[in-house]
Amino acid sequence: SLENLIKSRQKQKPKLLDFTSNAPRNTISAIAVRCLAQLLMKKPEFNFRSNIIRLLVPLMNCRADQLRETACDGIKNLFINDTSGFASLEVLRTVQNLLRNTSFKALPDVLLPFLSLPLTEKLEEDDSIFKNTKKRQNHSKLKNMTKKQKKLKKEQMELEKILQKTEAKQKKTEKK
C-alpha cells in the first residue's frame, strides 16, 4: 500500500509553484529569485550553475510579473557576462526543453534575453554547422534508396574520389 502510493506519486508530474501577479514586491520568493539571478550574474562558473539555471528558466515563463522580469534580467546579464559560452549554451538547452514541454506555448518574455547574446561571428557555408546538416540530408536520402541505388551511389562516390586524386596528381606534375 505504501509502495503503491509512492509509485503513483512518482508517475504524476511534479507541480510547479503557482505564482500570482498580485504577490507583494518583497516576498521570500522574489528575494530568492533575485539572489539566484545575481549569483548567476556575478559568478557564472559557480559549481551549482546548472541547478540555478534549471530554477530560473521556468520562472521566465511565470505569470508573476516581478519574478518573470527578475529571472529574464538574470539570464540576460548571464548572456552579456558569459565569456566561455558554456553557461549560455546550458541556458539555451534548458529553454529548449521548457518550450518543448509546454508545446511552445510560452510567454514572449522567454525569448527576449536571447536578443542580448553577443553574436559577433558571421557563419559561412564552410562552417561545421552547415556540414552537419548536409550530412544529415545525405543520410536521409540514402535511407530512402533501394540497395541497387545505394550500390550505384557508392560506386559513383568512389569514382569521384579517384578522379579527384588523379586531378590533384596532374596539377602537381604541371607545377613542377
Side-chain angles (χ1 to χ4, degrees), residues 2 7-8 36-37 39 80 88 97 104 114 120 128 159:
L2 181 60
K7 287 180 184 179
S8 66
L36 288 172
L39 178 63
I80 293 169
S88 299
N97 289 335
F104 301 96
F114 289 104
T120 57
S128 62
L159 290 174

Side-chain angles (χ1 to χ4, degrees), residues 36 39 56 82 93 96 100 111 133 148 152 157:
L36 288 172
L39 178 63
L56 284 180
D82 185 25
R93 288 182 176 157
Q96 175 188 7
R100 283 186 181 166
L111 300 176
T133 56
K148 199 172 196 179
L152 289 173
M157 295 292 282

Side-chain angles (χ1 to χ4, degrees), residues 87-148:
S88 299
L89 179 63
E90 196 170 345
V91 169
L92 175 73
R93 288 182 176 157
T94 309
V95 169
Q96 175 188 7
N97 289 335
L98 171 77
L99 291 174
R100 283 186 181 166
N101 291 339
T102 60
S103 303
F104 301 96
K105 295 177 183 173
L107 297 171
D109 293 348
V110 174
L111 300 176
L112 286 178
F114 289 104
L115 295 175
S116 64
L117 271 172
L119 300 176
T120 57
E121 295 182 22
K122 181 180 177 185
L123 295 176
E124 300 292 330
E125 285 195 33
D126 298 335
D127 289 342
S128 62
I129 295 171
F130 293 107
K131 288 180 183 178
N132 289 340
T133 56
K134 289 179 183 178
K135 285 180 184 178
R136 287 182 189 158
Q137 289 173 352
N138 290 339
H139 181 69
S140 64
K141 287 179 184 177
L142 285 175
K143 239 180 173 180
N144 296 332
M145 292 180 164
T146 63
K147 284 186 179 181
K148 199 172 196 179

Side-chain angles (χ1 to χ4, degrees), residues 159-176:
L159 290 174
E160 287 178 6
K161 285 182 183 178
I162 293 171
L163 182 63
Q164 288 176 352
K165 287 180 182 178
T166 55
E167 287 177 356
K169 287 180 183 177
Q170 287 178 353
K171 288 181 181 179
K172 283 184 180 179
T173 56
E174 288 176 5
K175 288 181 180 179
K176 291 180 182 180

